[in-house]
Amino acid sequence: MEKMEITCKACKNGCSLEVEYEDGEVLDVTGNGCMKGMIFAQGEVNKLDI
């Protein structure tokens, strides 16, 4: 399992997200103020060269 910290840009809140992922799949996201954070995190993980 991998972890990364990112700033969500899905809305104006700019939440600090901690994302846990494995094999290109998001397992958990913390720090998001709305569900857009989960969707944003999956998009960022998909951008990684895994």
Side-chain angles (χ1 to χ4, degrees):
M1 178 174 57
E2 304 276 339
K3 286 187 180 183
M4 70 176 172
E5 293 183 12
I6 57 174
T7 300
C8 184
K9 298 176 184 155
C11 69
K12 63 182 178 177
N13 292 333
C15 297
S16 296
L17 307 179
E18 185 172 298
V19 183
E20 295 180 3
Y21 63 96
E22 187 170 34
D23 297 327
E25 181 179 343
V26 173
L27 304 174
D28 190 33
V29 177
T30 56
N32 53 316
C34 66
M35 285 306 295
K36 291 179 184 178
M38 178 69 86
I39 296 165
F40 181 82
Q42 183 64 61
E44 292 299 296
V45 168
N46 288 342
K47 289 180 186 178
L48 298 175
D49 189 22
I50 299 174

